PDB file of all heavy atoms in Angstrom:
ATOM      1  N   TRP W 198      69.477 -70.713  20.636  1.00  0.00           N
ATOM      2  CA  TRP W 198      68.579 -69.968  19.673  1.00  0.00           C
ATOM      3  C   TRP W 198      68.776 -68.452  19.958  1.00  0.00           C
ATOM      4  O   TRP W 198      69.629 -67.845  19.353  1.00  0.00           O
ATOM      5  CB  TRP W 198      67.166 -70.428  19.862  1.00  0.00           C
ATOM      6  CG  TRP W 198      66.111 -69.702  19.014  1.00  0.00           C
ATOM      7  CD1 TRP W 198      66.330 -69.074  17.831  1.00  0.00           C
ATOM      8  CD2 TRP W 198      64.754 -69.522  19.352  1.00  0.00           C
ATOM      9  NE1 TRP W 198      65.126 -68.515  17.387  1.00  0.00           N
ATOM     10  CE2 TRP W 198      64.141 -68.782  18.296  1.00  0.00           C
ATOM     11  CE3 TRP W 198      63.920 -69.914  20.426  1.00  0.00           C
ATOM     12  CZ2 TRP W 198      62.795 -68.360  18.287  1.00  0.00           C
ATOM     13  CZ3 TRP W 198      62.540 -69.541  20.420  1.00  0.00           C
ATOM     14  CH2 TRP W 198      62.023 -68.787  19.335  1.00  0.00           C
ATOM     15  N   THR W 199      67.985 -67.900  20.886  1.00  0.00           N
ATOM     16  CA  THR W 199      68.146 -66.487  21.170  1.00  0.00           C
ATOM     17  C   THR W 199      69.167 -66.189  22.247  1.00  0.00           C
ATOM     18  O   THR W 199      69.480 -65.034  22.560  1.00  0.00           O
ATOM     19  CB  THR W 199      66.807 -65.856  21.555  1.00  0.00           C
ATOM     20  OG1 THR W 199      66.151 -66.611  22.562  1.00  0.00           O
ATOM     21  CG2 THR W 199      65.864 -65.761  20.320  1.00  0.00           C
ATOM     22  N   ALA W 200      69.691 -67.304  22.876  1.00  0.00           N
ATOM     23  CA  ALA W 200      70.817 -67.118  23.801  1.00  0.00           C
ATOM     24  C   ALA W 200      71.943 -68.059  23.298  1.00  0.00           C
ATOM     25  O   ALA W 200      71.695 -69.262  23.198  1.00  0.00           O
ATOM     26  CB  ALA W 200      70.383 -67.511  25.210  1.00  0.00           C
ATOM     27  N   ASP W 201      73.115 -67.492  23.004  1.00  0.00           N
ATOM     28  CA  ASP W 201      74.239 -68.389  22.555  1.00  0.00           C
ATOM     29  C   ASP W 201      74.773 -69.150  23.788  1.00  0.00           C
ATOM     30  O   ASP W 201      74.248 -69.041  24.879  1.00  0.00           O
ATOM     31  CB  ASP W 201      75.307 -67.541  21.840  1.00  0.00           C
ATOM     32  CG  ASP W 201      75.977 -66.543  22.766  1.00  0.00           C
ATOM     33  OD1 ASP W 201      75.860 -66.690  24.022  1.00  0.00           O
ATOM     34  OD2 ASP W 201      76.660 -65.624  22.279  1.00  0.00           O
ATOM     35  N   ARG W 202      75.788 -69.959  23.519  1.00  0.00           N
ATOM     36  CA  ARG W 202      76.276 -70.856  24.603  1.00  0.00           C
ATOM     37  C   ARG W 202      76.672 -70.067  25.857  1.00  0.00           C
ATOM     38  O   ARG W 202      76.316 -70.443  26.947  1.00  0.00           O
ATOM     39  CB  ARG W 202      77.418 -71.648  24.034  1.00  0.00           C
ATOM     40  CG  ARG W 202      77.945 -72.778  24.975  1.00  0.00           C
ATOM     41  CD  ARG W 202      79.096 -73.493  24.261  1.00  0.00           C
ATOM     42  NE  ARG W 202      79.650 -74.529  25.120  1.00  0.00           N
ATOM     43  CZ  ARG W 202      80.528 -74.323  26.056  1.00  0.00           C
ATOM     44  NH1 ARG W 202      80.937 -73.111  26.321  1.00  0.00           N
ATOM     45  NH2 ARG W 202      81.019 -75.319  26.794  1.00  0.00           N
ATOM     46  N   ASP W 203      77.379 -68.993  25.674  1.00  0.00           N
ATOM     47  CA  ASP W 203      77.890 -68.239  26.853  1.00  0.00           C
ATOM     48  C   ASP W 203      76.693 -67.620  27.583  1.00  0.00           C
ATOM     49  O   ASP W 203      76.627 -67.672  28.851  1.00  0.00           O
ATOM     50  CB  ASP W 203      78.812 -67.119  26.440  1.00  0.00           C
ATOM     51  CG  ASP W 203      80.196 -67.688  26.018  1.00  0.00           C
ATOM     52  OD1 ASP W 203      80.399 -68.911  26.246  1.00  0.00           O
ATOM     53  OD2 ASP W 203      81.030 -66.931  25.458  1.00  0.00           O
ATOM     54  N   ALA W 204      75.768 -67.042  26.860  1.00  0.00           N
ATOM     55  CA  ALA W 204      74.586 -66.388  27.470  1.00  0.00           C
ATOM     56  C   ALA W 204      73.765 -67.505  28.155  1.00  0.00           C
ATOM     57  O   ALA W 204      73.214 -67.255  29.273  1.00  0.00           O
ATOM     58  CB  ALA W 204      73.780 -65.657  26.466  1.00  0.00           C
ATOM     59  N   SER W 205      73.689 -68.642  27.569  1.00  0.00           N
ATOM     60  CA  SER W 205      72.914 -69.738  28.156  1.00  0.00           C
ATOM     61  C   SER W 205      73.556 -70.193  29.477  1.00  0.00           C
ATOM     62  O   SER W 205      72.863 -70.389  30.486  1.00  0.00           O
ATOM     63  CB  SER W 205      72.822 -70.944  27.200  1.00  0.00           C
ATOM     64  OG  SER W 205      72.207 -70.592  25.977  1.00  0.00           O
ATOM     65  N   PHE W 206      74.851 -70.337  29.483  1.00  0.00           N
ATOM     66  CA  PHE W 206      75.569 -70.708  30.712  1.00  0.00           C
ATOM     67  C   PHE W 206      75.306 -69.654  31.793  1.00  0.00           C
ATOM     68  O   PHE W 206      75.055 -69.982  32.954  1.00  0.00           O
ATOM     69  CB  PHE W 206      77.067 -70.808  30.467  1.00  0.00           C
ATOM     70  CG  PHE W 206      77.556 -72.189  30.069  1.00  0.00           C
ATOM     71  CD1 PHE W 206      76.863 -72.910  29.079  1.00  0.00           C
ATOM     72  CD2 PHE W 206      78.707 -72.719  30.598  1.00  0.00           C
ATOM     73  CE1 PHE W 206      77.307 -74.170  28.702  1.00  0.00           C
ATOM     74  CE2 PHE W 206      79.143 -73.989  30.211  1.00  0.00           C
ATOM     75  CZ  PHE W 206      78.486 -74.744  29.274  1.00  0.00           C
ATOM     76  N   ALA W 207      75.325 -68.382  31.404  1.00  0.00           N
ATOM     77  CA  ALA W 207      75.138 -67.299  32.374  1.00  0.00           C
ATOM     78  C   ALA W 207      73.740 -67.345  32.962  1.00  0.00           C
ATOM     79  O   ALA W 207      73.505 -67.160  34.136  1.00  0.00           O
ATOM     80  CB  ALA W 207      75.430 -65.927  31.762  1.00  0.00           C
ATOM     81  N   VAL W 208      72.754 -67.624  32.068  1.00  0.00           N
ATOM     82  CA  VAL W 208      71.329 -67.709  32.524  1.00  0.00           C
ATOM     83  C   VAL W 208      71.185 -68.871  33.483  1.00  0.00           C
ATOM     84  O   VAL W 208      70.582 -68.797  34.553  1.00  0.00           O
ATOM     85  CB  VAL W 208      70.389 -67.806  31.314  1.00  0.00           C
ATOM     86  CG1 VAL W 208      68.991 -68.274  31.750  1.00  0.00           C
ATOM     87  CG2 VAL W 208      70.279 -66.477  30.608  1.00  0.00           C
ATOM     88  N   LEU W 209      71.734 -70.037  33.103  1.00  0.00           N
ATOM     89  CA  LEU W 209      71.664 -71.234  33.966  1.00  0.00           C
ATOM     90  C   LEU W 209      72.345 -70.977  35.321  1.00  0.00           C
ATOM     91  O   LEU W 209      71.816 -71.351  36.381  1.00  0.00           O
ATOM     92  CB  LEU W 209      72.305 -72.437  33.221  1.00  0.00           C
ATOM     93  CG  LEU W 209      71.421 -72.994  32.085  1.00  0.00           C
ATOM     94  CD1 LEU W 209      72.265 -73.765  31.099  1.00  0.00           C
ATOM     95  CD2 LEU W 209      70.310 -73.884  32.630  1.00  0.00           C
ATOM     96  N   ASP W 210      73.521 -70.362  35.255  1.00  0.00           N
ATOM     97  CA  ASP W 210      74.217 -70.027  36.516  1.00  0.00           C
ATOM     98  C   ASP W 210      73.355 -69.140  37.390  1.00  0.00           C
ATOM     99  O   ASP W 210      73.216 -69.407  38.631  1.00  0.00           O
ATOM    100  CB  ASP W 210      75.547 -69.333  36.252  1.00  0.00           C
ATOM    101  CG  ASP W 210      76.628 -70.264  35.734  1.00  0.00           C
ATOM    102  OD1 ASP W 210      76.490 -71.486  35.858  1.00  0.00           O
ATOM    103  OD2 ASP W 210      77.617 -69.736  35.078  1.00  0.00           O
ATOM    104  N   ALA W 211      72.790 -68.091  36.811  1.00  0.00           N
ATOM    105  CA  ALA W 211      71.999 -67.145  37.585  1.00  0.00           C
ATOM    106  C   ALA W 211      70.780 -67.810  38.187  1.00  0.00           C
ATOM    107  O   ALA W 211      70.369 -67.533  39.321  1.00  0.00           O
ATOM    108  CB  ALA W 211      71.603 -65.941  36.745  1.00  0.00           C
ATOM    109  N   PHE W 212      70.180 -68.724  37.408  1.00  0.00           N
ATOM    110  CA  PHE W 212      68.965 -69.388  37.886  1.00  0.00           C
ATOM    111  C   PHE W 212      69.297 -70.258  39.095  1.00  0.00           C
ATOM    112  O   PHE W 212      68.648 -70.233  40.134  1.00  0.00           O
ATOM    113  CB  PHE W 212      68.392 -70.228  36.746  1.00  0.00           C
ATOM    114  CG  PHE W 212      67.121 -70.981  37.025  1.00  0.00           C
ATOM    115  CD1 PHE W 212      65.958 -70.287  37.300  1.00  0.00           C
ATOM    116  CD2 PHE W 212      67.128 -72.366  37.081  1.00  0.00           C
ATOM    117  CE1 PHE W 212      64.766 -70.997  37.614  1.00  0.00           C
ATOM    118  CE2 PHE W 212      65.987 -73.056  37.343  1.00  0.00           C
ATOM    119  CZ  PHE W 212      64.771 -72.377  37.629  1.00  0.00           C
ATOM    120  N   VAL W 213      70.330 -71.035  38.951  1.00  0.00           N
ATOM    121  CA  VAL W 213      70.697 -71.979  40.068  1.00  0.00           C
ATOM    122  C   VAL W 213      71.256 -71.207  41.245  1.00  0.00           C
ATOM    123  O   VAL W 213      70.940 -71.506  42.392  1.00  0.00           O
ATOM    124  CB  VAL W 213      71.660 -73.040  39.542  1.00  0.00           C
ATOM    125  CG1 VAL W 213      72.250 -73.875  40.667  1.00  0.00           C
ATOM    126  CG2 VAL W 213      70.916 -73.990  38.559  1.00  0.00           C
ATOM    127  N   ASP W 214      72.074 -70.204  41.000  1.00  0.00           N
ATOM    128  CA  ASP W 214      72.582 -69.422  42.123  1.00  0.00           C
ATOM    129  C   ASP W 214      71.448 -68.716  42.887  1.00  0.00           C
ATOM    130  O   ASP W 214      71.521 -68.504  44.096  1.00  0.00           O
ATOM    131  CB  ASP W 214      73.546 -68.265  41.616  1.00  0.00           C
ATOM    132  CG  ASP W 214      74.847 -68.897  41.122  1.00  0.00           C
ATOM    133  OD1 ASP W 214      75.102 -70.107  41.368  1.00  0.00           O
ATOM    134  OD2 ASP W 214      75.620 -68.156  40.430  1.00  0.00           O
ATOM    135  N   GLY W 215      70.343 -68.407  42.179  1.00  0.00           N
ATOM    136  CA  GLY W 215      69.201 -67.793  42.814  1.00  0.00           C
ATOM    137  C   GLY W 215      68.249 -68.759  43.448  1.00  0.00           C
ATOM    138  O   GLY W 215      67.167 -68.343  43.922  1.00  0.00           O
TER     139      GLY W 215
END
Side-chain angles (χ1 to χ4, degrees):
W198 176 27
T199 51
D201 65 15
R202 186 178 179 280
D203 287 350
S205 302
F206 270 44
V208 164
L209 286 157
D210 285 341
F212 181 67
V213 169
D214 290 348

